[in-house]
Amino acid sequence: RILEGVAGSSGDDAACVYKEKTGLRIDSYFSAFKMRWLLENNPDVQAARADGSLALGTMESFLIFHLTGGERHVTDVTNAHRTMLMNLHTLDWDPELCEVLLGVDSTEASSLLPESILPNAHPTGFGVIQEGVLKGVPICGALGDQQSALVGQRCFEKGNLKSTFGSSNVLLMNCGEGEGVVYSDDGLLTTVGYQMGPNTPPAYALEGVVAVSGLGLRWMSENLRIAENPKEVVDIASSVTSSKGLYFVPAFSGLFGPYWDAEARGIMMGLTGYHTREHVARAMVDAVCFQCKDVMDAMPVPPSMLKVDGGLANSDFVMQLLADVTQTTVEKPSNVESTALGAAIAAGVGCGHWESVHSLGKDNTDPQPCLHLQQAEATVTSRPRLFTERRATAAAAPSLPPSSVPRPRVAHSSPLTTTATSLCSPESSAGTLTQSSTFFEPEQDAAGAIARRHKKWKDAVSRCMGWQHDDEDGDGNDDAEDDDDSDIDE
């Protein structure tokens, strides 16, 4: 109701204003609408608002507030932007957006929302931890999930592109530091990629969100029960050379970028009596790669390489298929947990350990660990055994049999060495972080066949868009989303 009211009263002109200010679309995906619903419907939130004790924010602002003992109610530019209340140009809360989308005037908004929107790396702005073994250690960095993966993948140059595979799949392309806001007319969102310091210009990015990625594999294992777990779905899919003309669009709750059709519903096209569970699983894995290609085709410039991370990136089979479908080299780092690495990099820049993100690749032959990190190391000197036991356990783990999944056609390692202070090694003031990558090269001979398959995939997408939902019981909801399973019992 809130979403329809804002969209209905706004009109096309106002929607263009929202896009110009935020780079986003009017969608419940963003926090402002969730906040407004709570303000209008949750009694506890309303009571706190009435007595002046209410604070609104996203996850990192909640964590920072509690880590600092309530001293800091702040956020960073990447998370603030995802509320749809921050102006991309001023990097501050926008009075008009707060009034129209959140439903409060600018005065009240300033008392409810975080008091400051900070760069992702800052030496003092996020406050100091007040309790626990890290008491006295300043918080020097904060990043949104996908933007942190962008940093963790070291996408610091204009045109660098990363894709994070989780339940959903998010692709971000760096549009360059200090080059201003870039908009898309092809279904992509504009976001803040990162801002590494108070005196550093932000790097904006274009974003494509695929709603169903790993979620589709989990749906196949848990709902269709064709496998024990998502990994087994991938293994089953890899046992056949193709889906044999079967196409699956997993639009379980609409389509996100670049289509943005909330009414779309999933469709399986080309099904015959010949097809087996292996072909269905392969069609799902194909869909993950086709959706990536759709987003990449909407990017303003063709990327020369796609950097990947997240759980599904562990599958060489899927990554090789992705390279073939997109006809782009795919780079997978040895550590696919790029989000955590990005947060660590932001903290390293914020505390002054690195001058900037561009000095990460330079050899620091005379490291100067920050004093508060040395203090933290001294705090954990009595607990090194935990880390030693973990390493010993990992070393003693039995080796797994070789995978039946085909290895990448062309793979090589590219060592990346940076010097970093390690909280886990109290015996050393500085540690070495080494990261290597595996590259998956596209099969050029498959380009023609891939293009024909992608054309059929796009046809399936067009058929599932604008779906007319059934509402035979007249309750205003799509029958497919009702909880009543009486028809199954019958």
Side-chain angles (χ1 to χ4, degrees):
R1 177 183 59 82
I2 293 172
L3 196 64
E4 291 175 353
V6 170
S9 63
S10 299
D12 293 339
D13 291 341
C16 290
V17 172
Y18 297 147
K19 178 179 178 180
E20 194 275 334
K21 285 189 172 186
T22 69
L24 307 175
R25 302 173 63 91
I26 297 175
D27 196 283
S28 59
Y29 181 67
F30 305 109
S31 307
F33 302 102
K34 301 176 178 68
M35 292 177 178
R36 181 165 177 174
W37 188 93
L38 289 170
L39 290 171
E40 296 182 359
N41 295 278
N42 188 292
D44 293 336
V45 171
Q46 292 170 339
R49 181 183 184 184
D51 65 24
S53 62
L54 179 65
L56 298 175
T58 42
M59 182 58 70
E60 87 300 331
S61 58
F62 174 85
L63 292 173
I64 291 169
F65 181 85
H66 285 280
L67 286 171
T68 60
E71 291 186 2
R72 295 294 175 93
H73 183 213
V74 297
T75 184
D76 70 275
V77 289
T78 57
N79 283 294
H81 174 247
R82 305 308 282 188
T83 65
M84 206 174 174
L85 299 173
M86 188 193 83
N87 189 306
L88 272 177
H89 302 272
T90 65
L91 302 182
D92 203 353
W93 304 120
D94 187 278
E96 180 185 7
L97 295 174
C98 290
E99 183 173 350
V100 176
L101 303 183
L102 191 57
V104 302
D105 60 37
S106 59
T107 301
E108 184 177 12
S110 64
S111 66
L112 296 176
L113 296 170
E115 59 194 37
S116 299
I117 300 177
L118 300 169
N120 301 114
H122 199 288
T124 60
F126 295 109
V128 177
I129 297 175
Q130 296 298 313
E131 296 182 3
V133 296
L134 295 180
K135 182 178 180 180
V137 175
I139 303 167
C140 295
L143 275 164
D145 182 31
Q146 298 303 325
Q147 291 84 351
S148 189
L150 186 76
V151 173
Q153 285 278 27
R154 293 166 49 84
C155 292
F156 301 135
E157 303 299 330
K158 184 176 181 179
N160 286 170
L161 177 67
K162 74 88 189 174
S163 178
T164 299
F165 292 91
S167 295
S168 59
N169 179 26
V170 182
L171 293 90
L172 279 178
M173 175 177 279
N174 191 332
C175 295
E177 285 185 26
E179 299 203 13
V181 182
V182 176
Y183 297 100
S184 168
D185 294 324
D186 297 307
L188 303 179
L189 304 176
T190 302
T191 187
V192 180
Y194 55 85
Q195 184 187 18
M196 290 298 173
N199 301 315
T200 304
Y204 293 96
L206 288 176
E207 174 182 273
V209 182
V210 174
V212 177
S213 181
L215 178 63
L217 302 177
R218 188 164 68 244
W219 176 80
M220 285 201 157
S221 64
E222 296 179 359
N223 290 42
L224 292 190
R225 301 178 184 176
I226 69 172
E228 290 295 323
N229 52 60
K231 181 182 181 302
E232 188 177 332
V233 174
V234 174
D235 291 340
I236 292 171
S238 68
S239 67
V240 292
T241 57
S242 75
S243 65
K244 294 296 182 182
L246 182 62
Y247 296 90
F248 182 30
V249 183
F252 297 155
S253 55
L255 289 169
F256 285 7
Y259 301 102
W260 293 102
D261 186 345
E263 304 301 315
R265 288 298 178 267
I267 188 172
M268 193 174 291
M269 191 175 77
L271 186 64
T272 71
Y274 169 83
H275 290 112
T276 64
R277 67 167 187 161
E278 286 78 11
H279 298 113
V280 174
R282 178 60 184 262
M284 178 66 242
V285 174
D286 285 349
V288 172
C289 298
F290 283 137
Q291 290 177 104
C292 283
K293 177 171 174 55
D294 289 346
V295 171
M296 290 173 64
D297 287 348
M299 293 291 177
V301 293
S304 59
M305 183 178 295
L306 174 62
K307 299 184 177 185
V308 297
D309 58 85
L312 198 55
N314 285 308
S315 169
D316 286 353
F317 164 70
V318 177
M319 293 302 99
Q320 184 60 62
L321 182 61
L322 180 63
D324 292 342
V325 168
T326 61
Q327 286 294 292
T328 304
T329 300
V330 171
E331 178 184 357
K332 180 184 74 173
S334 56
N335 174 18
V336 296
E337 299 300 331
S338 299
T339 301
L341 179 59
I345 289 173
V349 174
C351 76
H353 186 72
W354 292 297
E355 182 179 353
S356 73
V357 293
H358 301 289
S359 62
L360 280 170
K362 296 177 181 178
D363 211 14
N364 189 352
T365 56
D366 185 20
Q368 300 294 326
C370 298
L371 292 179
H372 60 264
L373 290 181
Q374 291 178 321
Q375 176 187 0
E377 287 178 349
T379 305
V380 298
T381 51
S382 62
R383 307 194 318 175
R385 183 179 176 186
L386 172 65
F387 304 103
T388 304
E389 288 177 347
R390 286 180 180 172
R391 285 195 294 265
T393 302
S399 59
L400 298 176
S403 172
S404 60
V405 176
R407 303 300 298 174
R409 297 185 184 89
V410 178
H412 55 279
S413 293
S414 173
L416 158 67
T417 302
T418 58
T419 305
T421 300
S422 172
L423 292 177
C424 303
S425 302
E427 68 278 3
S428 172
S429 63
T432 300
L433 172 65
T434 302
Q435 178 134 300
S436 60
S437 295
T438 301
F439 295 81
F440 299 84
E441 303 291 348
E443 183 180 351
Q444 303 297 331
D445 295 341
I450 292 290
R452 289 190 292 272
R453 289 169 56 203
H454 185 241
K455 186 176 183 298
K456 290 185 178 180
W457 153 264
K458 299 275 284 187
D459 183 33
V461 170
S462 66
R463 291 169 185 260
C464 79
M465 296 177 68
W467 189 265
Q468 297 300 310
H469 302 159
D470 294 328
D471 184 22
E472 294 181 2
D473 53 13
D475 64 355
N477 297 319
D478 181 4
D479 290 346
E481 299 175 356
D482 287 344
D483 293 331
D484 182 10
D485 290 335
S486 58
D487 57 332
I488 297 178
D489 295 335
E490 292 173 3

